[in-house]
Amino acid sequence: MSSVLEQAHPWLEGLVAYDPGKPIEETARELGLDPADIVKLASNENPIGPSPKAVEAMKQAAESVHIYPDGGGYRLRTAVAETFGLARENVVISNGSNEIIELVGHGFLSPGDEVVAAEHAFVVYKLMATLFGATTVEVPDPGFVHDLDAMAAAIGPRTRMVFVANPNNPTGTMVDGAAIDRFMAKVPDHVVVIFDEAYYEFVPDPPDTLRYVREGRNVVVMRTFSKIQGLAGLRIGYGLTTPEIAGVLQKCRQPFNTNSIAQAGAVAGLLDEEHQRRTRELTDEGRAFLERSFAEMGLEHVPSSANFVLVKVGDGDAVFQAMLRRGVIVRAMRGYKLPDWVRISVGTMPQNERCIATLKEVLAGTAAA
Ligand SMILES: *Cc1c(COP(=O)(O)O)cnc(C)c1O
């Protein structure tokens, strides 16, 4: 036997692969269903699709894919910088905003280091920490809201970074600007704070975390094109940070980490405010419908600031399976130590209505087996 496997990093043994939302095609294949009859409300995607302007820009960019992308992402970084009143040097573009999590790991984590996150925070933080041999300190989040005072208190000499997901996935909860200010006043200089703002555009009056970037604090604000812009399949996102931290992250990425079609689509999507406004309106209406329906059904749910709702259904795995057989894909939450809950993304109104009708059917046990 080769000893090469023994040379793999020992901490990789504890690493469990990310379990994504079940794809439509896979569900259709396994259940013999028509993909067109399947509703996926499992990955917080945009139910009205990408911006038409982004699609147009991507078609044009497709004509030039024989040329390598602009590794520096000049146009996209400029557009992002201008949109948020920062400089290009503050912007790092990435293969999905998830890559930012990996880049901060490459830049700052060594085996034995600690990462602080909320107990029910987005699970990728912990996966990435494990990848680099670091330990995640999980801080209890009463009522599913990040307890920033407790998170500040959990910072120790080995802490390299703290993740604040705002709004958080899968809970949909937020912390406000006052809590963030109090937190930032306590964070020492040897710690990087990462604000994951994947759902930022869905929030009417989000806290101004870019203020800390402007003040030169050790902060990375993560944003993505996967959610409100409807470009999840492209894999593109960005981090906003100080020029110094951006310099570190730039060294850690591959030369062409984002492709030319994604860069072109992202620029057009960023500027398409009309598409974002429509998505926000549809999301507000759909989320209100879902939350009202859960209340009428007597199901506990966590009031959400994002485009999904966490709802307590009993046996989350069984409900997921029973809904799946009826062509509605939701997300079971056992991986988040929430086996009684499922997370449901806001879809179009017909999709939301079908989802609620299916959930009622399943919970009534008509054919729960
Ligand atoms: C969806 C999501 C992201 C975005 O991931 P991408 O890699 O940009 O697609 C990041 N953080 C959270 C909390 C999310 O829910």
Side-chain angles (χ1 to χ4, degrees), residues 1 6 19 30 43 51 60 72 75 80-81 92 107 158 165 170 183 194 227-228 241 264 283 322 346 357:
M1 274 294 272
E6 285 158 31
D19 189 14
E30 291 176 3
S43 300
S51 145
Q60 273 187 31
R75 282 188 57 219
V80 168
V92 180
R158 291 301 309 257
F183 170 74
I194 297 120
K227 303 288 156 59
I228 205 162
T241 184
T283 304
V346 177

Side-chain angles (χ1 to χ4, degrees), residues 84-86 166 174-178 180-181 184 195 197 200 203 205-215 219 221 223 240:
F84 299 109
L86 294 167
N166 210 35
M174 285 197 78
V175 285
D176 63 19
I180 291 175
D181 289 346
M184 287 302 296
F195 290 103
E197 299 184 349
Y200 168 84
V203 179
D205 189 16
D208 177 22
T209 45
L210 294 185
R211 191 187 114 201
Y212 293 110
V213 174
R214 289 192 199 94
E215 289 173 0
V219 156
V221 177
R223 305 258 176 91
L240 303 170

